[in-house]
Amino acid sequence: MMPLGRSLKIAQVFARYRLDTFIPAGARPLWLRALLAPVKLMPQPELSRGARLRHALEELGPVFVKFGQLLSTRPDLLPPDMVSELDQLQDNVAPFDPDVCIALIEEALEQPLDEAFASFEREPLASASVAQVHAATLPGGEDVVVKVVRPGIEAVIDQDLRLLRFIAGLAHRYLPDGRRLRPVEVVDDYEHTIKDELDLVKEAANAAQLKRNFANSPLLYVPEVHWDHTRTNVLVLERIDGIPVTDLAQLSAQDTNMPLLAERGVEIFFKQVFEHNFFHADMHPGNIFVSRRHPERPQYIAIDTAIVGSLTREDQYYLARNLLAMFRRDYKLVAELHVQSGWVAADTPINAFESAIRSVCEPIFEKPLGEISFARVMISLFQTARKFEMEVQPQLVLLQKTLLNIEGLGRQLYPQLDLWKTAHPFLERWLRNRVHPRTLWGEVQRYGPEWLEKFPQIPQLIFSSLEQARELAPRVQSLSDDLAGRREKARGQRRRWLLAGLLALAAALPMWPELVDWFAELPPLSLGLGAAAAILLLWR
């Protein structure tokens, strides 16, 4: 059960911002209408609905703020005005007591602070809803940052997740699009995301994997993890010296090659999604820096790897082909790929779907490629598919969010960015390499030992399958005979009912002399054909 105080707080915020108006009147059951009756007496704030939602989430605290940030990446769920407001949600909260922070570190590392670190700054560098970060120096002289999870945050998250799941259940049951949008699954995905943020060992493992993927790469640098000082609630990373990616003044002051910087951001995204199949899914500006070295060949620095994503091989393939087909204006192929991938129902009419996609994409592609928003094209495509009962694909949510962040960041750095110029050759090259003999041989080498391990079992598996088929044959025959008997019985019943109907009609004919006269005037051939038809119906 949720504590009474928390329940009252949520109800108060809900009423003050008149969030009841978000629920369509026709979708409210009787008990909900009765519950909301007192709320209608309150005046409606002179704010847009998006602003009301944003202020309500900020008042309700960190869990709701982070959930709102997740929703801001889902234009397939919310209208544009709400998405725009939720984009402004800030995850900055007051820091907790430094003494409490130090006690948590000492307990996690099982040693005094002055033994673990040569120096430690009590004032945090940053403070967010889940954790805060302090600067420190290791005994060996390495400059590091120490990230510490807030005390008691797990209980707050569990309470609020229960409420979010309850609301999602109502949305699933009563909203017109509730079943298709799968709100309960959205909350479940959010739970996994925020619970992962509480486990700093997972974040450290993600950082290590990302660092390996870009080892010696001029594109991206990831700080080193200090594993000896890392625990579930404490993470120690190399301290980086970079320029915030949004600080355009500093970037210009060191003569950063801005077009190359923007293009490299796009290249990083596609490498992560298609080559590595492991992508940093929280690449908002606060987590991205630019190295001060080699401004003519700028390198990104990524932090906060708590949230990562990956796609299935099938989704990778269909996504790449979808994007290429869209920009080639092959809308029929786009429609077919949506069906083949299972993103829309198998019985979706291809021609109607193709026409809907064309009507959305053609106005966009009339612009120069440099002015086309790659992410918005993708969103428009998903919104069009929504009309054809496309279910929300959880595996594509993080990808869409990351693409929005990357493209927005790239255009901020270099407004003339032509994202397609970078993406197009990359996708074509990736699709060619996917079916290259070298790639196929690599698959054989990777899975060959497993196939060889299972090969001796194949004869036994075949024998067992044949044995099972032989044992099932009598049961299948019995069921088939039973089904045939039921069909014959049903046919007999239909014949009896038809015969009874014809006899009843014949018996009723004398009651309508006009009908008898009409039959008498019919030619013999017509009467004969009618009788034959009746006999044929009875026989069938």
Side-chain angles (χ1 to χ4, degrees):
M1 289 292 291
M2 185 173 296
L4 180 61
R6 182 62 174 161
S7 300
L8 291 175
K9 168 71 173 174
I10 290 168
Q12 180 188 29
V13 172
F14 184 93
R16 182 162 65 253
Y17 290 103
R18 293 299 309 273
L19 301 187
D20 60 296
T21 59
F22 291 12
I23 307 171
R28 304 176 193 177
L30 182 60
W31 64 268
L32 186 57
R33 290 200 295 270
L35 190 65
L36 294 176
V39 179
K40 292 182 179 180
L41 302 176
M42 299 187 66
Q44 187 162 318
E46 294 181 1
L47 294 169
S48 68
R49 60 180 182 175
R52 282 187 282 135
L53 179 59
R54 175 170 63 86
H55 287 304
L57 293 176
E58 286 175 341
E59 281 197 35
L60 289 175
V63 175
F64 285 85
V65 167
K66 296 190 81 65
F67 188 64
Q69 290 173 333
L70 172 68
L71 290 178
S72 72
T73 68
R74 300 299 304 276
D76 58 322
L77 300 183
L78 297 179
D81 61 312
M82 286 191 181
V83 171
S84 176
E85 281 289 341
L86 294 181
D87 274 338
Q88 302 175 41
L89 281 169
Q90 298 298 315
D91 190 20
N92 296 319
V93 298
F96 60 91
D97 189 340
D99 291 330
V100 174
C101 179
I102 290 170
L104 288 171
I105 294 171
E106 291 180 335
E107 181 183 2
L109 300 183
E110 298 179 342
Q111 59 180 314
L113 189 74
D114 55 4
E115 290 183 13
F117 301 98
S119 66
F120 183 88
E121 294 184 12
R122 291 174 60 88
E123 288 300 314
L125 293 172
S127 178
S129 55
V130 170
Q132 67 185 37
V133 178
H134 293 257
T137 305
L138 293 176
E142 303 97 328
D143 290 327
V144 296
V145 291
V146 184
K147 184 174 182 178
V148 185
V149 174
R150 283 182 173 273
I153 191 66
E154 296 92 341
V156 175
I157 288 173
D158 287 339
Q159 287 176 15
D160 288 348
L161 281 172
R162 284 199 295 272
L163 176 66
L164 286 173
R165 192 167 283 106
F166 173 73
I167 295 171
L170 293 179
H172 175 82
R173 185 172 181 180
Y174 295 113
L175 291 184
D177 277 349
R179 187 176 300 277
R180 183 189 65 77
L181 297 177
R182 301 193 286 189
V184 177
E185 288 191 29
V186 172
V187 174
D188 287 341
D189 288 340
Y190 171 63
E191 179 178 6
H192 291 311
T193 297
I194 198 165
K195 290 289 180 69
D196 282 349
E197 288 194 54
L198 297 177
D199 187 348
L200 299 186
V201 171
K202 284 187 178 180
E203 180 177 340
N206 292 339
Q209 179 65 55
L210 199 62
K211 188 174 183 64
R212 277 197 300 275
N213 289 346
F214 285 93
N216 303 316
S217 169
L219 302 176
L220 181 69
Y221 182 81
V222 181
E224 185 77 36
V225 176
H226 291 271
W227 286 103
D228 290 343
H229 292 77
T230 294
R231 304 290 184 273
T232 302
N233 63 334
V234 175
L235 169 62
V236 178
L237 292 168
E238 169 192 0
R239 186 172 183 180
I240 53 98
D241 179 26
I243 301 170
V245 73
T246 53
D247 193 340
L248 301 182
Q250 278 202 65
L251 292 173
S252 297
Q254 69 166 13
D255 294 326
T256 303
N257 186 338
M258 302 299 273
L260 182 58
L261 182 64
E263 288 176 7
R264 283 189 164 184
V266 176
E267 188 176 350
I268 288 169
F269 170 78
F270 281 97
K271 271 188 174 294
Q272 289 182 93
V273 172
F274 291 101
E275 287 188 7
H276 305 153
N277 197 17
F278 185 87
F279 58 92
H280 190 315
D282 197 17
M283 296 188 75
H284 64 76
N287 290 337
I288 306 297
F289 296 81
V290 179
S291 173
R292 296 182 187 276
R293 295 183 295 176
H294 312 301
E296 72 286 355
R297 291 177 283 107
Q299 182 185 45
Y300 285 94
I301 303 172
I303 64 170
D304 196 353
T305 55
I307 306 173
V308 297
S310 61
L311 302 176
T312 64
R313 285 176 56 83
E314 292 77 13
D315 280 338
Q316 278 184 310
Y317 176 70
Y318 285 119
L319 182 64
R321 291 195 65 198
N322 257 296
L323 294 174
L324 283 171
M326 259 198 306
F327 277 87
R328 290 170 180 164
R329 303 191 186 190
D330 188 349
Y331 303 122
K332 185 172 184 178
L333 180 58
V334 173
E336 290 172 345
L337 287 168
H338 271 67
V339 173
Q340 292 171 20
S341 65
W343 296 348
V344 297
D347 59 355
T348 299
I350 294 294
N351 290 340
F353 192 20
E354 175 192 357
S355 177
I357 294 170
R358 181 183 293 107
S359 65
V360 169
C361 292
E362 275 300 315
I364 296 173
F365 290 133
E366 286 303 313
K367 300 177 182 178
L369 281 177
E371 296 179 17
I372 294 174
S373 169
F374 200 71
R376 294 296 169 189
V377 169
M378 205 169 140
I379 291 167
S380 297
L381 184 64
F382 288 161
Q383 287 175 334
T384 304
R386 172 182 178 179
K387 299 173 185 175
F388 289 80
E389 301 300 316
M390 174 178 173
E391 293 190 344
V392 176
Q393 301 294 317
Q395 71 271 26
L396 299 178
V397 171
L398 290 176
L399 176 73
Q400 182 174 292
K401 168 188 173 183
T402 306
L403 182 54
L404 281 166
N405 283 335
I406 288 294
E407 186 175 54
L409 188 60
R411 292 197 186 278
Q412 185 178 0
L413 295 171
Y414 182 61
Q416 294 78 33
L417 171 68
D418 182 352
L419 187 143
W420 185 238
K421 182 181 176 182
T422 305
H424 185 201
F426 185 97
L427 291 172
E428 288 199 322
R429 186 171 62 250
W430 182 81
L431 283 170
R432 282 198 307 271
N433 289 339
R434 185 180 171 97
V435 294
H436 194 279
R438 182 174 58 252
T439 305
L440 299 177
W441 175 241
E443 293 291 300
V444 171
Q445 288 180 310
R446 181 174 182 180
Y447 297 108
E450 185 179 344
W451 297 340
L452 289 174
E453 177 69 23
K454 292 180 178 179
F455 184 79
Q457 303 171 26
I458 290 177
Q460 180 60 38
L461 289 172
I462 295 173
F463 177 78
S464 299
S465 298
L466 292 173
E467 189 70 21
Q468 289 175 2
R470 189 179 68 178
E471 292 174 359
L472 286 173
R475 294 174 59 189
V476 172
Q477 184 61 46
S478 174
L479 288 171
S480 177
D481 294 342
D482 182 58
L483 183 60
R486 289 173 183 269
R487 285 176 177 167
E488 185 58 37
K489 184 178 178 181
R491 278 197 293 268
Q493 287 178 337
R494 286 197 297 273
R495 280 196 296 268
R496 286 192 291 274
W497 279 109
L498 183 59
L499 180 59
L502 290 173
L503 290 174
L505 178 63
L509 281 177
M511 299 173 64
W512 287 282
E514 296 85 355
L515 195 60
V516 174
D517 294 341
W518 180 79
F519 268 109
E521 293 174 2
L522 286 175
L525 180 60
S526 298
L527 285 172
L529 289 175
I535 294 169
L536 181 63
L537 281 171
L538 286 171
W539 179 73
R540 289 292 294 169

